[in-house]
Amino acid sequence: MKDYGSQAVESDTVEIASSGDVVRARQMVRMLAQRGGLSLVNQTKLVTAASELGRNALVYSGGGTARAAVVQDGGRQGVWAEFSDRGPGIPDLGLALTDGWTSGSGMGLGLSGARRLVDEFDIETELGVGTTVRVLKWAR
């Protein structure tokens, strides 16, 4: 996925270190989705994906950073979000992206569910270094 972070019309960042910060990250994404012209349905999809990704950063690595931005590409406008952590990384990415698989007490819908809710999804992970997930939802 293209790094839309550098093409931001408007952007914000939230450090995630507690469940309250996951809520703040969701609120940030919702505000930018509204300003970015996403329909209510697409706002909800993006905010749900952001909630899952923020929760993953907190639960599996103790926290991280959420960045989001209203972006433009040609005649399109959308909202891009990035969730990064410095956790243990994901040992089996293919398995982690499988519907229904969970590494713990979750429902197994986090990464795969987030991927289904957005238009573009990209994940980079390295054992012992961390994970970065980028998502994008275009306004229709």
Side-chain angles (χ1 to χ4, degrees):
M1 172 191 298
K2 184 176 178 180
D3 181 358
Y4 288 96
S6 62
Q7 296 178 309
V9 174
E10 179 180 2
S11 65
D12 203 355
T13 302
V14 170
E15 294 299 322
I16 298 173
S18 69
S19 59
D21 295 332
V22 174
V23 172
R24 286 183 41 235
R26 270 194 352 232
Q27 291 169 338
M28 169 188 69
V29 169
R30 180 173 301 283
M31 177 199 63
L32 291 171
Q34 290 169 343
R35 291 183 182 167
L38 273 68
S39 68
L40 182 57
V41 169
N42 284 334
Q43 288 175 37
T44 302
K45 288 179 179 181
L46 182 60
V47 169
T48 301
S51 182
E52 291 293 336
L53 297 172
R55 181 188 164 285
N56 281 355
L58 181 62
V59 169
Y60 296 108
S61 71
T65 303
R67 294 190 312 149
V70 175
V71 297
Q72 293 180 337
D73 187 20
R76 300 188 298 179
Q77 182 165 285
V79 176
W80 170 90
E82 177 185 83
F83 293 80
S84 297
D85 67 58
R86 294 186 180 266
I90 301 170
D92 187 337
L93 187 55
L95 187 59
L97 287 167
T98 301
D99 285 343
W101 182 84
T102 179
S103 65
S105 61
M107 294 172 48
L109 299 175
L111 287 176
S112 64
R115 182 171 59 177
R116 280 194 312 274
L117 292 169
V118 297
D119 298 320
E120 297 183 32
F121 179 96
D122 182 61
I123 186 168
E124 297 172 12
T125 188
E126 186 175 340
L127 293 179
V129 176
T131 301
T132 298
V133 181
R134 293 179 190 91
V135 296
L136 179 70
K137 191 74 175 168
W138 292 111
R140 306 260 187 256

